[in-house]
Amino acid sequence: MREVTECMVYHNLAKEELLSDMLYLMKKLRKGSLKEEKGRELYFSLIHRLVEMTSDYGFYGNLWHAYLTFLLLNDENAFSLSCEVVGQVEGSINALAKEDFSIFREYFDFDFIDLDCFFNTKAGRIISNYQGNKSKIFNARIRDRICDLSKILAETASDEDFMQAMISFYKEVGVGKLGLHKAFRIEKDEKNKASIVPITNIAHVHLDDLVGYEIAKKKLIENTEAFVNKRKANNCLLFGDAGTGKSSSIKAILNQYYSQGLRVIEVYKHQFQDLNHVIGQIKNRNYRFIIYMDDLSFEEFEVEYKYLKAVIEGGLEKKPENVLIYATSNRRHLIKETFADKEGRRDQLHASDTVQEKLSLGARFGVTIFFSSPSKKEFQEIVKELARKNKIDLPLEELYMQANAWELSHGGLSGRTAQQFIDYLSGKTRS
């Protein structure tokens, strides 16, 4: 059995401790030099680590195969990144990758029954047909596709078939964290550089769940569909009253278009100075990225907006075509203005320049979408629809009366207030 260090394209996988430990056991067993006492402790440690992994990722079936498949799908290298963009690639890289896949086919062929017999246990047979749990990290669709691919790879008849299965997945789904996840945040790594980190718990909000605001949703959908279909699209500002569904609309858009390659990176004000570095990491990837800024506004003394202005428009480097900026705000004009800005002050000879600078940020969003508080009638329609979806059986007159009383003491007329009221009723009826 060949070492993973012999891989030329997937050489980084040699750093995987679980893989190295398992290969050590396999080789020792085949050579007849495996010591039971030392090997037993390592074997059960490996089983434990595989089970812990599936607790996070929700893998099922043959956990060894799922683990190997996950390693191959998560490794960003010259071959996998090229396949993500164009599918089948030309040149010598194919021959090198095929050699690596030949090595991994040997790993897929290993039968845990041999280790079970040696250690007189059934642990290996159990993880070879494991009944999985709900994933904490992947959504069910991605989890299922990884497990399905692991079955296909295990059954391939040749190295060529193995490689073609990998190429198809890279092209259709993607590779690495950007391919296998749909939402991200920015964190500083050990070198104090901005790193893109997956968000693993995303609210399952869908556009149909957002009752009302049909005109606003239509504008958002049209702009986003143009973007994911690689047509011209604009940066987008969703502004208006609190609790009207601005942030929920962004989450719903992500869930709607994720399968078409849409990804969202959430960025906060204090991270704007890292935007150029973040964009540098994503500009050549085969996805469409929305940089999402929630509840965006600036006080008079805050200057972070200048970083944002430079990124949106005005820097020497053109913003990549696969990046848009979507922001939500309660303000139409994102930077707070004062009467002093309008009236002019003795220490400013060109007071109008100050006003123009503050207004120019909002003007750089080509699409602005207004979310207003609903009227009483619209609020009642929202409550009625949410009650229907949540199977709350109350006479309509009683439902409206309770909803009206609720909104008076819980934030006024808004979609958020309606949802909170329905959650309250659901809790009462199911307690």
Side-chain angles (χ1 to χ4, degrees):
M1 180 175 290
R2 287 175 285 177
E3 295 278 2
V4 69
T5 52
E6 296 178 41
C7 289
M8 293 166 283
V9 177
Y10 292 84
H11 190 77
N12 285 332
L13 298 184
K15 301 174 185 176
E16 288 290 328
E17 184 179 355
L18 195 158
L19 178 60
S20 298
D21 287 348
M22 187 64 81
L23 296 181
Y24 169 83
L25 276 183
M26 292 176 179
K27 288 188 342 186
K28 288 289 185 181
L29 181 67
R30 289 189 174 182
K31 290 180 179 179
S33 58
L34 183 59
K35 304 295 183 183
E36 182 177 356
E37 184 176 345
K38 181 180 179 182
R40 174 179 288 274
E41 182 180 349
L42 180 58
Y43 184 52
F44 286 107
S45 168
L46 289 168
I47 297 294
H48 168 74
R49 281 182 272 170
L50 281 173
V51 172
E52 286 296 306
M53 174 196 70
T54 203
S55 176
D56 289 333
Y57 293 96
F59 295 147
Y60 52 84
N62 190 310
L63 295 191
W64 173 239
H65 293 168
Y67 169 66
L68 293 174
T69 304
F70 174 69
L71 291 184
L72 293 170
L73 294 179
N74 214 38
D75 191 59
E76 297 180 357
N77 56 58
F79 177 77
S80 61
L81 290 173
S82 296
C83 291
E84 176 190 84
V85 177
V86 299
Q88 182 76 54
V89 296
E90 303 294 334
S92 299
I93 191 71
N94 281 298
L96 295 176
K98 188 182 290 188
E99 280 296 307
D100 288 2
F101 292 144
S102 175
I103 293 173
F104 268 84
R105 285 190 70 220
E106 293 181 33
Y107 303 161
F108 270 87
D109 289 341
F110 183 81
D111 194 339
F112 275 86
I113 291 177
D114 295 337
L115 283 170
D116 273 2
C117 291
F118 186 85
F119 295 117
N120 191 27
T121 180
K122 296 180 180 179
R125 273 165 281 194
I126 293 173
I127 68 161
S128 295
N129 187 25
Y130 194 83
Q131 304 303 309
N133 303 308
K134 185 177 180 180
S135 174
K136 301 174 186 175
I137 293 177
F138 293 133
N139 64 42
R141 178 178 171 274
I142 287 294
R143 188 260 331 261
D144 291 345
R145 293 199 68 167
I146 293 173
C147 291
D148 290 344
L149 178 62
S150 72
K151 295 177 187 176
I152 294 171
L153 295 177
E155 295 170 359
T156 52
S158 66
D159 298 341
E160 178 66 27
D161 290 344
F162 193 104
M163 184 168 76
Q164 289 304 318
M166 292 300 306
I167 291 172
S168 295
F169 193 98
Y170 288 146
K171 178 59 179 172
E172 293 173 16
V173 180
V175 58
K177 62 187 177 185
L178 297 179
L180 301 180
H181 297 272
K182 56 184 174 181
F184 308 86
R185 64 168 59 92
I186 305 301
E187 293 182 2
K188 292 291 180 115
D189 60 19
E190 61 276 3
K191 297 180 180 178
N192 203 37
K193 290 186 177 179
S195 178
I196 300 172
V197 178
I199 298 173
T200 58
N201 188 17
I202 307 297
H204 296 292
V205 182
H206 299 282
L207 288 168
D208 290 341
D209 298 330
L210 303 174
V211 183
Y213 303 102
E214 297 306 319
I215 295 175
K217 286 194 294 185
K218 184 173 183 291
K219 288 181 69 175
L220 184 62
I221 289 169
E222 287 175 350
N223 193 67
T224 306
E225 284 190 348
F227 182 51
V228 297
N229 290 315
K230 300 183 179 180
R231 304 195 305 269
K232 293 291 185 181
N234 282 291
N235 300 310
C236 192
L237 173 63
L238 286 65
F239 73 97
D241 301 317
T244 51
K246 301 183 294 295
S247 300
S248 295
S249 295
I250 301 294
K251 296 169 189 173
I253 282 289
L254 171 60
N255 291 324
Q256 178 91 1
Y257 296 101
Y258 161 66
S259 61
Q260 298 180 41
L262 185 66
R263 303 291 185 267
V264 169
I265 302 175
E266 187 171 27
V267 180
Y268 299 101
K269 276 193 293 189
H270 68 277
Q271 298 170 324
F272 285 176
Q273 59 187 316
D274 298 316
L275 278 175
N276 281 324
H277 181 66
V278 170
I279 290 173
Q281 297 177 57
I282 62 178
K283 64 182 180 181
N284 295 320
R285 298 301 296 268
N286 195 36
Y287 310 102
R288 314 299 279 180
F289 292 94
I290 288 175
I291 294 180
Y292 169 48
M293 303 163 183
D294 190 29
D295 198 18
L296 185 65
S297 65
F298 299 91
E299 297 301 320
E300 193 177 10
F301 57 87
E302 293 178 312
V303 297
E304 289 90 345
Y305 71 92
K306 295 185 179 182
Y307 293 111
L308 181 55
K309 283 174 62 178
V311 168
I312 295 178
E313 183 184 338
L316 289 176
E317 185 177 6
K318 181 182 177 183
K319 182 165 65 66
E321 292 183 356
N322 69 329
V323 176
L324 278 186
I325 293 174
Y326 278 21
T328 67
S329 179
N330 294 338
R331 296 178 181 174
R332 170 63 181 88
H333 299 299
L334 299 173
I335 307 169
K336 185 176 180 181
E337 295 179 83
T338 66
F339 283 109
D341 294 332
K342 303 267 184 200
E343 296 170 357
R345 293 164 54 185
R346 290 181 180 178
D347 58 350
Q348 285 195 5
L349 295 177
H350 302 285
S352 63
D353 291 351
T354 302
V355 177
Q356 289 303 315
E357 180 183 23
K358 292 186 172 185
L359 293 177
S360 65
L361 177 59
R364 298 192 183 199
F365 290 89
V367 172
T368 55
I369 304 174
F370 179 50
F371 285 72
S372 63
S373 292
S375 65
K376 193 152 194 170
K377 183 178 180 181
E378 290 169 335
F379 175 76
Q380 290 177 339
E381 284 298 312
I382 293 172
V383 168
K384 175 181 162 184
E385 181 63 17
L386 291 175
R388 183 189 66 78
K389 289 185 176 183
N390 287 270
K391 297 180 172 59
I392 293 173
D393 189 17
L394 267 181
L396 205 55
E397 186 176 336
E398 175 69 17
L399 180 70
Y400 288 165
M401 185 180 70
Q402 290 194 37
N404 292 338
W406 177 273
E407 65 88 2
L408 288 173
S409 57
H410 291 85
L413 299 170
S414 73
R416 179 185 296 157
T417 303
Q419 184 64 63
Q420 290 169 346
F421 170 65
I422 294 299
D423 291 342
Y424 162 74
L425 288 183
S426 297
K428 280 182 61 179
T429 56
R430 294 165 191 173
S431 60

